[in-house]
């Protein structure tokens, strides 16, 4: 569910007509709804009600400062994966004790920054990383709280590029080696083992893979405790999927996911952490674009729009589906026509949808990509020298630009031409 509905024949973001935002900021742009962000965050709060928990928003999905500040004020922690994300979380006022640091390639510099600025835990993904953290923490005279991310060898049954918990994936330490890894961690100075971490992938549309992974984590908790480790926290990762195709997908609900968590690990006396990204931010955002031309091809008709693969990379990168709707509500039963919906970039991969049925739209009309809040703006680039597009945040009838579109001059001024040329 989201807060982008047709009212008086125009698609709105909460109480704001998208046509008003387009008139004010130009297209293309991203727009986010605070009401949807809040609703989705609270769905997880409700789902985990009754067990000690912390929800760390996977800010890789959407990391604008306004969004982080908003979620931080609701009590969200953050899951960060780089020094830049850590800096953003801190700048948004999220306290270090609510920030977990994930990722396979944390540098010593990133570790030191987080140790100095405050961190809830590092999710460690390899033995060399453990040793590096031990050195950094020791040199700073502090103790680093850690979980070890285990790779449970579970098939997440999602797109291969976003599956992370199978043997052979670069993530985590094989669960079969967990015992040795924990013994090693416990022996290292400057390291304090606090729990176990697992994350098996993103856009999961079934609960079974989560269940398989979490049951393995439950077993491992007993085993590690019997080996003398203090396991007081379980970080269960993110990954719950969203219905990208409203007409034919219904992934499990947060409440069902929460019940599963309670069933698998609820009696272990551990604090549970989760790292959802997409489910909080995905349906909280739209990408709004204008049609530039309607082009009749040879057997294929094209809608050429002013957004491109540099603005929303998911269709080109993963073949991902996004529902695309006109901003002006089509009349009931309006005739539809199949279009390839494409951007202006000079490669055929710049295609958002093939043979997509759309009601009659013409040059200048606005269209909206649904479910674009997660992994949209954050994955954008300036390919073809197309400046990053603005982001707009809506609350009720108010909206503000939360990241402005750079001018061409600003874009060009970031480069430097050496005098010796
Ligand atoms: N925790 C860790 C350690 C992760 O690697 C991820 C996502 C998450 C949490 C959040 O997963 P979520 O709840 O958002 O599914 N760019 C891709 C998605 C990449 C996901 C990477 N890791 C896409 O556009 O589909």
């Amino acid at each position: 569910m989201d807060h982008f509905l047709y009212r008086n024949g125009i698609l709105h973001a909460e109480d704001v007509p998208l046509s008003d935002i387009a008139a004010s900021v130009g297209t293309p742009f991203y727009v986010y709804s605070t009401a949807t962000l809040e609703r989705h965050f609270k769905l997880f709060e409700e789902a985990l009600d009754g067990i000690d928990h912390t929800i760390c928003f996977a800010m890789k999905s959407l990391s604008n400062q306004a969004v982080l500040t908003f979620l931080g004020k609701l009590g969200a922690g953050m899951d960060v994966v780089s020094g830049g994300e850590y800096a953003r979380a801190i700048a948004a006022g999220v306290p270090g004790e609510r920030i977990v640091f994930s990722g396979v390639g944390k540098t010593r510099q990133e570790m030191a920054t987080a140790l100095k600025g405050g961190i809830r835990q590092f999710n460690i993904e390899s033995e060399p990383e453990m040793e590096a953290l031990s050195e950094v923490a020791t040199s700073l005279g502090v103790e680093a709280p850690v979980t070890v991310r285990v790779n449970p060898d579970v098939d997440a049954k999602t797109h291969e590029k976003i599956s992370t918990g199978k043997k052979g994936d670069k993530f985590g330490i094989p669960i079969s080696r967990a015992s040795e890894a924990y013994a090693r961690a416990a022996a290292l100075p400057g390291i304090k083992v606090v729990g176990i971490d697992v994350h098996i992938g993103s856009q999961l549309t079934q609960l079974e893979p989560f269940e398989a992974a979490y049951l393995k984590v439950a077993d491992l908790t007993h085993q590690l405790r019997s080996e003398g480790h203090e396991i007081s926290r379980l970080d269960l990762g993110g990954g719950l999927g969203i219905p990208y195709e409203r007409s034919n997908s219904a992934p499990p609900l947060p409440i069902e996911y929460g019940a599963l968590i309670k069933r698998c690990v609820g009696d272990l006396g551990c604090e549970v952490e989760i790292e959802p990204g997409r489910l909080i931010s995905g349906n909280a955002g739209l990408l709004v674009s204008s049609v530039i031309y309607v082009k009749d091809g040879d057997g294929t008709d094209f809608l050429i729009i002013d957004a491109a693969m540099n603005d929303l990379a998911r269709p080109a990168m993963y073949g991902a589906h996004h529902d695309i709707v006109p901003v002006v509500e089509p009349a009931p039963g309006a005739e539809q026509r199949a279009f390839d919906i494409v951007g202006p970039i000079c490669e055929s991969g710049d295609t958002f949808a093939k043979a997509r049925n759309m009601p009659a739209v013409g040059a200048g009309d606005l269209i909206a990509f649904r479910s674009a809040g997660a992994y949209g703006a954050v994955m954008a680039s300036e390919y073809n020298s197309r400046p990053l597009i603005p982001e707009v945040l809506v609350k009720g009838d108010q909206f503000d630009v939360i990241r402005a579109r750079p001018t061409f001059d600003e874009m060009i001024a970031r480069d430097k031409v050496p005098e010796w040329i």
Side-chain angles (χ1 to χ4, degrees):
M1 160 157 186
D2 62 39
H3 295 80
F4 301 107
L5 299 173
Y6 288 107
R7 281 200 218 160
N8 311 319
I10 299 285
L11 191 59
H12 281 56
E14 302 190 21
D15 300 332
V16 183
L18 291 179
S19 44
D20 285 8
I21 303 177
S24 160
V25 306
T27 56
F29 63 88
Y30 279 102
V31 55
Y32 311 120
S33 155
T34 50
T36 312
L37 289 167
E38 179 165 356
R39 181 184 143 81
H40 290 167
F41 177 72
K42 290 194 169 157
L43 286 178
F44 280 115
E45 286 286 12
E46 284 164 31
L48 295 181
D49 192 31
I51 50 172
D52 194 8
H53 66 268
T54 301
I55 299 167
C56 294
F57 175 58
M59 56 177 280
K60 63 168 76 68
S61 69
L62 176 57
S63 55
N64 186 288
Q65 290 306 120
V67 170
L68 302 183
T69 304
F70 180 73
L71 289 173
K73 283 189 175 175
L74 293 177
M78 296 291 154
D79 167 41
V80 309
V81 292
S82 70
E85 285 196 350
Y86 180 83
R88 279 188 174 275
I90 294 288
V94 179
E97 67 261 25
R98 294 212 305 257
I99 302 177
V100 299
F101 207 137
S102 302
V104 292
K106 300 171 204 81
T107 64
R108 286 176 154 78
Q109 199 181 354
E110 288 171 329
M111 291 168 176
T113 304
L115 283 170
K116 287 183 203 153
I119 190 79
R120 179 178 181 78
Q121 87 215 15
F122 293 91
N123 295 329
I124 293 295
E125 303 221 17
S126 66
E127 288 86 352
E129 187 194 348
M130 223 178 253
E131 275 156 26
L133 182 61
S134 166
E135 280 169 31
V136 175
T138 315
S139 73
L140 293 172
V142 296
E143 201 163 53
V146 305
T147 70
V148 174
R149 177 171 175 178
V150 291
N151 181 329
D153 191 20
V154 166
D155 183 355
K157 302 205 169 72
T158 182
H159 192 284
E160 58 162 334
K161 288 192 184 164
I162 52 176
S163 171
T164 56
K166 274 293 279 173
K167 193 168 133 187
D169 290 337
K170 70 177 175 181
F171 300 96
I173 291 181
I175 199 161
S176 53
R177 214 165 76 213
S179 206
E180 291 99 298
Y182 274 84
R184 183 109 168 244
L188 285 170
I191 296 274
K192 178 166 171 44
V193 171
V194 295
I196 307 172
D197 172 44
V198 72
H199 170 79
I200 57 173
S202 191
Q203 185 53 19
L204 271 72
T205 53
Q206 301 167 38
L207 288 180
E208 289 72 20
F210 286 120
E211 182 170 24
Y214 296 169
L215 289 175
K216 288 191 178 192
V217 167
D219 283 349
L220 183 62
T221 304
H222 292 300
Q223 184 193 328
L224 292 174
R225 281 178 173 165
S226 74
E227 290 166 9
H229 302 286
E230 187 196 315
I231 304 295
S232 59
R233 277 183 207 168
L234 301 179
D235 182 336
L236 301 177
L240 192 58
I242 63 170
Y244 277 104
E245 217 169 332
R246 293 189 178 208
S247 52
N248 73 0
S249 59
L253 303 171
I255 195 79
E256 296 166 319
Y257 174 67
L260 171 87
I261 289 179
K262 289 176 191 170
R263 221 170 39 242
C264 294
V265 302
D267 61 355
L268 295 172
C270 287
E271 178 176 4
V272 165
E273 299 162 345
I274 55 169
E275 303 169 348
R278 192 187 313 262
L279 200 132
I280 293 176
S281 56
N283 282 331
L286 300 182
L287 166 63
V288 179
S289 175
S290 301
V291 176
I292 308 178
Y293 298 116
V294 181
K295 172 171 165 173
D296 294 337
D298 187 3
T300 307
D301 294 337
F302 298 94
L303 278 190
I304 301 174
I305 64 172
D306 65 359
M309 63 190 281
N310 70 301
D311 304 311
L312 177 66
R314 304 192 68 259
M317 210 160 159
Y318 315 111
H321 173 102
H322 285 263
D323 282 348
I324 303 172
V325 295
V327 167
V328 173
E329 187 173 18
E335 206 179 302
Q336 303 225 331
R337 201 174 133 194
F339 290 102
D340 279 13
I341 301 178
V342 301
I345 284 184
C346 304
E347 45 183 296
S348 300
D350 186 22
T351 297
F352 291 114
K354 283 202 164 285
R356 182 71 65 88
N357 277 328
M358 291 286 287
V361 279
D365 288 349
L366 296 171
I367 59 170
F369 289 70
R370 291 196 181 272
S371 314
Y375 307 108
V378 288
M379 290 176 67
S381 76
E382 289 186 338
Y383 186 37
N384 277 211
S385 287
R386 297 166 46 87
L388 293 181
I389 65 176
E391 293 175 278
V392 174
L393 189 64
V394 172
K395 183 168 191 227
D397 61 2
Q398 314 170 63
F399 73 90
D400 247 303
V401 175
I402 55 172
R403 189 179 67 198
R405 189 191 311 277
T407 62
F408 292 149
D409 285 345
E410 283 164 346
M411 181 175 66
I412 293 166
R414 290 204 311 262
D415 297 359
K416 179 175 171 258
V417 181
E419 280 184 11
W420 43 259
I421 281 190

